[in-house]
Amino acid sequence: DSGVTQTPKHLITATGQRVTLRCSPRSGDLSVYWYQQSLDQGLQFLIQYYNGEERAKGNILERFSAQQFPDLHSELNLSSLELGDSALYFCASSVTSDQETQYFGPGTRLLVL
Amino acid sequence: QQQVKQSPQSLIVQKGGISIINCAYENTAFDYFPWYQQFPGKGPALLIAIRPDVSEKKEGRFTISFNKSAKQFSLHIMDSQPGDSATYFCAARGGGGATNKLIFGTGTLLAVQP
């Protein structure tokens, strides 16, 4: 158990809908990272927050947004969902902002029908 | 230039054997190279990492060999065990500043046969 929690574990929704994925980092970790894992694209970095502020941005679509709250938990919002958004979404956390030693959560499996 | 190429895609090794997974990169600005292990239904877990100023790092049965001039690095798993059966990802950190990120290889599915 990495100490990173993600909810929900599974999510089934329809195209065009909006969902929110939640992540609680390990105690003491200030950075939260979001990743998308799909069969065709592999593990792709989406976005990083450090102590409430956006730190780095990867291949995140404009339909997706994220934030980190004062208690350091983070939410990833996915809107106008498409079939291709079906994937595993992982949250990771680390103590510092340098992307090293990241601890991954168990993931949220999103299925868009 | 931002890619990390990983091979093989899958690997079958006998118990007690050596598993070797290779990765190659182009961007010489990459400055941190971790390996992650992922079991089915779980998130990736950091296994071992190396920086480009070191040619080898060993932790237990896991060793990273790093060849800066060839822009290649590899993971060696000595005395491979059935419990090592998992997907292994190499990664490299690059981009810098607001684009700094880990770029992952495509993964290697390792099966260690008893």
Side-chain angles (χ1 to χ4, degrees):
Chain A
D1 183 5
S2 66
V4 178
T5 60
Q6 289 186 249
T7 57
K9 196 168 184 178
H10 302 278
L11 200 49
I12 302 174
T13 188
T15 55
Q17 294 299 303
R18 172 189 167 96
V19 297
T20 298
L21 313 184
R22 183 187 168 105
C23 168
S24 293
R26 290 188 330 147
S27 176
D29 285 359
L30 298 179
S31 268
V32 169
Y33 311 80
W34 286 99
Y35 291 88
Q36 180 191 59
Q37 186 175 41
S38 60
L39 283 175
D40 56 343
Q41 294 289 323
L43 198 58
Q44 298 277 323
F45 167 71
L46 296 178
I47 197 164
Q48 175 195 2
Y49 279 82
Y50 176 74
N51 205 21
E53 300 289 327
E54 183 182 306
R55 187 76 174 193
K57 213 165 184 175
N59 305 320
I60 189 166
L61 300 173
E62 284 192 12
R63 301 183 285 107
F64 296 1
S65 65
Q67 54 184 325
Q68 186 180 29
F69 295 87
D71 67 352
L72 300 177
H73 91 272
S74 178
E75 292 181 356
L76 178 67
N77 300 295
L78 314 177
S79 61
S80 302
L81 284 167
E82 302 175 0
L83 295 177
D85 297 327
S86 296
L88 265 170
Y89 291 85
F90 287 105
C91 166
S93 72
S94 66
V95 174
T96 61
S97 62
D98 60 10
Q99 308 226 349
E100 297 184 11
T101 318
Q102 295 183 35
Y103 295 87
F104 280 73
T108 293
R109 184 174 292 278
L110 173 66
L111 180 59
V112 183
L113 299 176
Chain B
Q1 257 214 337
Q2 288 289 79
Q3 281 187 325
V4 177
K5 294 182 180 179
Q6 184 171 346
S7 64
Q9 195 171 6
S10 62
L11 181 61
I12 300 174
V13 173
Q14 295 297 315
K15 180 182 174 181
I18 302 174
S19 304
I20 301 174
I21 305 170
N22 301 298
C23 284
Y25 63 96
E26 288 295 323
N27 191 340
T28 55
F30 288 161
D31 61 359
Y32 170 74
F33 301 86
W35 283 89
Y36 280 81
Q37 177 190 58
Q38 185 177 24
F39 292 105
K42 304 287 186 184
L46 179 64
L47 201 55
I48 187 172
I50 199 167
R51 298 182 195 281
D53 54 347
V54 176
S55 61
E56 186 174 283
K57 183 173 181 181
K58 184 175 180 179
E59 289 184 4
R61 296 185 294 109
F62 301 91
T63 300
I64 300 179
S65 297
F66 190 87
N67 186 329
K68 191 173 180 178
S69 60
K71 290 183 280 188
Q72 295 175 348
F73 59 111
S74 59
L75 176 70
H76 292 65
I77 306 174
M78 312 300 287
D79 187 26
S80 298
Q81 299 297 311
D84 297 330
S85 298
T87 300
Y88 293 81
F89 294 93
C90 62
R93 180 180 62 188
T99 62
N100 211 27
K101 62 184 177 183
L102 283 184
I103 300 161
F104 285 83
T106 49
T108 296
L109 180 60
L110 171 65
V112 181
Q113 294 188 334

